[in-house]
C-alpha cells in the first residue's frame, strides 16, 4: 500500500500497527468529500478518509491534507495513537508528552513570577538620584 510518504515512515507505521495488533482486515475505510479550504480540489474529490477499527469500535475522520493517500496515512497513525491511549492510559506516548509540556509551562510560569517579585522588591535607582526641594 502506498501512502505517498517516505518508505521509512511507512515501515514505522506498519511496525507500529503490527505491535498494537491492528490489521488491515479489521479496518473499515470509506472516502468522503472534504470540506473547508481547498476549493474545488477538496469539494469534488473524495479526499477525506473515514477509518473504523471494527474490533474496538474506534473511529477516525481525517482531512488534514488535500491528497487522499496522505490522509489515509494520517488516519492510520491517529488510530494507532487512540489504541495506545485506550490500552496504556496515562503511560501512552501522547499523554506523557502532554505531561512533559505541562510541567515545562508550570516551571516557566514559576520562574516568571519569581522574576517579577524580584523586580518589585528592587529599589528604583531613578528615584534615588532625584533631589527633592525642601
Amino acid at each position: 500500500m502506498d501512502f505517498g510518504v517516505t518508505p521509512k515512515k511507512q515501515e514505522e507505521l506498519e511496525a507500529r500497527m503490527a505491535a498494537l495488533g491492528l490489521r488491515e482486515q479489521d479496518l473499515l475505510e470509506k472516502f468522503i468529500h472534504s470540506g473547508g479550504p481547498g476549493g474545488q480540489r477538496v469539494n469534488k474529490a473524495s479526499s477525506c478518509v473515514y477509518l473504523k477499527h471494527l474490533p474496538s469500535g474506534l473511529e477516525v475522520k481525517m482531512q488534514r491534507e488535500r491528497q487522499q493517500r496522505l490522509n489515509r496515512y494520517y488516519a492510520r497513525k491517529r488510530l494507532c495513537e487512540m489504541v495506545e491511549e485506550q490500552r496504556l492510559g496515562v503511560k501512552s506516548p501522547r499523554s506523557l508528552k502532554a505531561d512533559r509540556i505541562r510541567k515545562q509551562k508550570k516551571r516557566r510560569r514559576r520562574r516568571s513570577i519569581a522574576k517579577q517579585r524580584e523586580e518589585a522588591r528592587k529599589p528604583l535607582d531613578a528615584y534615588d538620584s532625584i533631589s527633592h526641594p525642601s
Side-chain angles (χ1 to χ4, degrees), residues 37-102:
Q40 283 183 323
R41 181 79 174 168
V42 295
N43 296 334
K44 280 173 34 178
S46 297
S47 58
C48 182
V49 176
Y50 169 82
L51 201 60
K52 182 173 183 177
H53 185 239
L54 298 174
S56 66
L58 293 173
E59 299 176 347
V60 175
K61 184 178 173 187
M62 187 63 62
Q63 62 178 29
R64 184 186 296 179
E65 299 290 332
R66 282 171 40 172
Q67 296 177 14
Q68 185 185 75
R69 57 191 196 162
L70 281 177
N71 286 330
R72 292 178 76 199
Y73 169 78
Y74 287 125
R76 281 167 174 74
K77 190 173 176 183
R78 177 66 186 129
L79 184 66
C80 289
E81 291 172 359
M82 290 173 70
V83 169
E84 285 174 345
E85 287 174 15
Q86 188 180 43
R87 291 186 186 165
L88 301 174
V90 189
K91 298 196 178 220
S92 70
R94 189 176 176 129
S95 64
L96 291 175
K97 184 177 180 181
D99 286 343
R100 189 173 63 244
I101 290 171
R102 195 176 305 114

Side-chain angles (χ1 to χ4, degrees), residues 5-19:
V5 294
T6 61
K8 182 181 176 185
K9 283 187 179 182
Q10 189 161 339
E11 289 170 12
E12 287 174 359
L13 177 65
E14 290 169 358
R16 190 175 181 186
M17 287 178 69

Side-chain angles (χ1 to χ4, degrees), residues 113-125 128:
I113 290 171
K115 189 174 180 180
Q116 288 172 1
R117 287 183 182 154
E118 284 295 321
E119 291 293 324
R121 288 184 196 145
K122 285 184 183 177
L124 297 175
D125 296 331
D128 293 341

